[in-house]
Amino acid sequence: MKARPRPLRSVKMPAVGRPDIHRVAPWGEGQRLDAYLSRFLSERSRAQWQRLIETGIVTLNGLATRPSARLSPHDRLEIRPVAPAALLEPDPSILLDIVYEDPALVVINKPPGLVVHPAPGHQDGTLVHALLARFPALHDPSGQQRPGIIHRLDKDTSGLMVVGKTPEAVADVQGQMKLGQVEKHYLLLVTGEVPDDRAVIEVPIGRDRQHRQKMAARTDGRASRTEFRVLERFRGYTLVKADLASGRTHQLRVHFAYIRHPVAGDSVYGSGRGPEGLRRQFVHSAELSLTSPATGERLNLFCDLASDLAQVVANLGRQEPNLVPHLITPPQGENEPSGRW
């Protein structure tokens, strides 16, 4: 009677950070490497094992190999410790709207509804999955499932977002951000009619003590500064252009809620109230300025207001959709902010 195959087991317990070593059992003879691993180390799918083999995390007899490699009894398999990002499956079905690209950076126009990176409840179908399909060389040394991600936009926020193609590019742009050399400008529709034409909100932000998924204005929080100017006032709403002098989580939404003009459509920091046709929070990343690590060139990038938000403005009766993109071009000779919180 033929012996029933037993689960694959380690020959020895690997030291932390060192490869896990296996010997192929006699009943593995002739099997494909990816099929063998997925059957007897079933905590990962066959597709995940294929990706690990292709990236060199799994070796056969000390050499890089292919998922289709046929095994012989007592072949030596080494499996290096796996960062979570190595298991991400590229998703070519998610299309990317690329605004700018060079050897170091890619800037995309992120659509609303797209989560940036995997998180509880959103393990698939994220921007990271789309980036890996378009740029297979991306990788994440931190193991946080965020290859190339320098900063993020909320799921329901649209507009410009920069991604680094290499760890060096990511570090370079992050350094620019710390020095205040990256400029980010947003278009927001907030509830109520903001009285000041220009103002500064300078309020520290920290984790909300009661609701850990939220941020809050706190005296012991991290210093945060938002400058804004009014573009248009409507009945019950104000369209503003906000400049982030810092980049705290949910900064714009927290700051405008603090001055009692929460972002229209924001049900987390406001009532969720919004004008006709608004189906999400009205936040759009409209402008981005930074220096390319590859060319040294100063990049000044613009992105038209997303069509659904432009339609909301049109519904308010004061602007036509095709005029809205011009609102993101700052006028010459602006004065200093007139208000401060």
Side-chain angles (χ1 to χ4, degrees), residues 61-123:
N61 297 322
L63 300 174
T65 186
R66 303 183 306 278
S68 61
R70 298 291 175 174
L71 298 176
S72 299
H74 308 297
D75 276 344
R76 186 175 190 269
L77 305 179
E78 289 191 8
I79 305 172
R80 299 207 313 271
V82 181
L87 300 177
L88 294 174
E89 298 292 340
D91 189 345
S93 70
I94 304 173
L95 302 181
L96 296 176
D97 180 3
I98 295 179
V99 176
Y100 172 84
E101 182 181 357
D102 68 22
L105 301 177
V106 58
V107 178
I108 67 163
N109 177 12
K110 188 187 89 66
L114 182 63
V115 174
V116 170
H117 55 74
H122 296 95
Q123 294 297 330

Side-chain angles (χ1 to χ4, degrees), residues 59-276:
T59 61
L60 175 61
N61 297 322
L63 300 174
T65 186
R66 303 183 306 278
S68 61
R70 298 291 175 174
L71 298 176
S72 299
H74 308 297
D75 276 344
R76 186 175 190 269
L77 305 179
E78 289 191 8
I79 305 172
R80 299 207 313 271
V82 181
L87 300 177
L88 294 174
E89 298 292 340
D91 189 345
S93 70
I94 304 173
L95 302 181
L96 296 176
D97 180 3
I98 295 179
V99 176
Y100 172 84
E101 182 181 357
D102 68 22
L105 301 177
V106 58
V107 178
I108 67 163
N109 177 12
K110 188 187 89 66
L114 182 63
V115 174
V116 170
H117 55 74
H122 296 95
Q123 294 297 330
D124 301 304
T126 71
L127 174 61
V128 162
H129 293 86
L131 288 169
L132 289 172
R134 183 68 179 266
F135 306 104
L138 285 179
H139 68 283
D140 179 14
S142 72
Q144 298 300 306
Q145 295 191 324
R146 303 182 185 186
I149 301 301
I150 297 172
H151 66 111
R152 72 178 186 87
L153 299 179
D154 295 334
K155 174 185 175 182
D156 289 329
T157 296
S158 56
L160 296 176
M161 182 175 163
V162 62
V163 175
K165 288 185 172 181
T166 65
E168 293 76 17
V170 171
D172 185 289
V173 177
Q174 288 175 337
Q176 292 182 51
M177 287 181 172
K178 289 179 181 178
L179 295 173
Q181 298 170 348
V182 176
E183 299 176 22
K184 294 182 285 184
H185 310 288
Y186 293 77
L187 292 179
L188 302 92
L189 187 72
V190 301
T191 57
E193 297 176 26
V194 179
D196 296 292
D197 290 335
R198 290 175 57 82
V200 172
I201 308 171
E202 204 156 17
V203 177
I205 293 176
R207 186 70 60 181
D208 189 295
R209 290 188 175 92
Q210 280 72 45
H211 306 282
R212 300 301 295 171
Q213 301 304 314
K214 294 175 58 177
M215 307 301 288
R218 288 177 45 176
T219 56
D220 60 347
R222 300 177 68 187
S224 307
R225 177 185 173 95
T226 299
E227 298 181 14
F228 73 88
R229 65 183 178 89
V230 170
L231 299 178
E232 187 69 69
R233 292 184 179 90
F234 306 99
R235 182 176 300 175
Y237 298 96
T238 305
L239 185 67
V240 302
K241 177 183 175 184
D243 304 344
L244 284 183
S246 53
R248 309 303 177 209
T249 300
H250 298 173
Q251 177 175 322
L252 293 173
R253 299 161 66 191
V254 172
H255 272 178
F256 280 94
Y258 177 81
I259 67 171
R260 300 183 180 179
H261 292 284
V263 172
D266 188 348
S267 59
V268 175
Y269 298 100
S271 66
R273 181 172 68 91
E276 178 186 354

Side-chain angles (χ1 to χ4, degrees), residues 254-318:
V254 172
H255 272 178
F256 280 94
Y258 177 81
I259 67 171
R260 300 183 180 179
H261 292 284
V263 172
D266 188 348
S267 59
V268 175
Y269 298 100
S271 66
R273 181 172 68 91
E276 178 186 354
L278 185 62
R279 300 290 182 265
R280 60 177 171 107
Q281 63 204 27
F282 196 121
V283 183
H284 181 75
S285 175
E287 300 179 28
L288 181 65
S289 298
L290 73 161
T291 300
S292 169
T295 67
E297 177 187 2
R298 186 68 180 175
L299 306 175
N300 299 296
L301 305 171
F302 301 84
C303 178
D304 289 353
L305 188 62
S307 60
D308 64 322
L309 301 185
Q311 186 60 53
V312 167
V313 174
N315 291 342
L316 289 171
R318 298 291 295 275

